[in-house]
Amino acid sequence: MKVLIIGNGGRESAIAKKLSEDKRISQMFFAKGNATTENLGKNLPYESVAELRDFALREKIDFTFVGPELPLVNGIVDEFQKHNLKIFGPTKRAADLEGSKAFSKKFMQDYGIRTAKAAIFDSYVEADQYIQNHSYPLVIKASGLASGKGVVICEDKETAHHTLHQFMIERIYGDAGIKVVIEEFLQGFEASIIAFWNGEKAFPCVSAKDYKKVGNGNTGANTGGMGTVAPSPEFTAEHLADFNKNILEPTVKGIKDKTLDFVGIIFFGVLVQDNQCYLLEYNMRFGDPETQVIMALLENNLLDVIHDCIEGKDLDLQFSDKKAICLVMCSGGYPGNYEIGYEIQGLDKVKHSNVLFAGAEQIAGKVVTNSGRVLNVVATGDTYEEAREKVYEDAKTLHFDYAFYREDIGKF
């Protein structure tokens, strides 16, 4: 069996490692891949939907997995399906649940999914008028894709005005900020719930806790994720029951009502306030770095799970009762400006963890940095503390110029 995996982050490294356990897979191709995937198969230079489609047809790819959101929003699933190519992910219409926060917020409101109260604007003047009489703090979100950075918690009117100007007038995130969602601020803890979707039913994985802020103690700018823990220590069986009733079940109804036909992943970004679950956002693919800890605990054969999904079969997901922690090592300056091209050293000294490359590539026999989030250190243990000790002991052996990471992942 030939498999094509689209993406080049730590998520794709985790998926590739899990799939590599299956001896039915004879070849794996990655577009564009990274230093981990280069050792598992062949990295490709292709990026456009047309290039990837043509490659899959030419190589007679049996199955394609899509990691990042952009190709999904650009309709890669629809294009592959036109050519009878088997692919796992949402259609362009379904991907709008992630690609347009305005669309997803209206979807939540229409189907009674518990979420923050919100208003949607495509007029800067009207949005600016709205914030003049609003209580603070409030949250402003760019409607389109902004690499996880288009969300600002505004503590006062001046910050809100500045944010709206940046999003809608300066367009710091391009067209993503032409339309905005302004919503009430919720306070509590967040949890990530990732579910497989077989076209009719959702099958949730264990919960995960994601650390979004760049600095220790959840300080500083939002990032794509500085680390994760699974299962989330805060998300209880009571919370799961509330999530199922007030978020999952009405989401399933909405997907069916709107005939958003697809098989793939639904990621629920949840906030728990006063023991009630509120939906913050949908992602229509595996999260990063949540995937890294979920794959570390998943006991099923991943290829079987995906095939059963595609065939519309019910899933019986099994997870280890261990705890998993993922630590993200980053380039100095991330999530702002950073330099690349630094050699990563100490890989041979890692003893207790798996190292999954994200922003790294192999050049002339060396592994060098090529992005902001460089690598993931992932370990499991019988307790959170045991997994944490493994991760941080191994992280100390890894070095590249200007490297940094949070020191409190798994401390909660």
Side-chain angles (χ1 to χ4, degrees), residues 13 38 46 72 85 114 119 138 173 192 198 213 252 264 275 281 288 301 330 351 354 371 389 397 403:
S13 292
E38 190 163 331
Y46 309 129
L72 295 169
L85 291 165
R114 191 190 288 139
L138 57 74
Y173 297 120
S192 302
N198 72 353
K213 296 287 190 178
V252 170
N275 276 331
E281 64 175 356
D288 188 343
N301 178 293
C330 299
K351 295 179 180 178
N354 284 321
S371 192
E389 286 176 1
T397 72

Side-chain angles (χ1 to χ4, degrees), residues 116 274 347 370 402:
D274 299 328
L347 293 164
N370 71 354
Y402 307 109

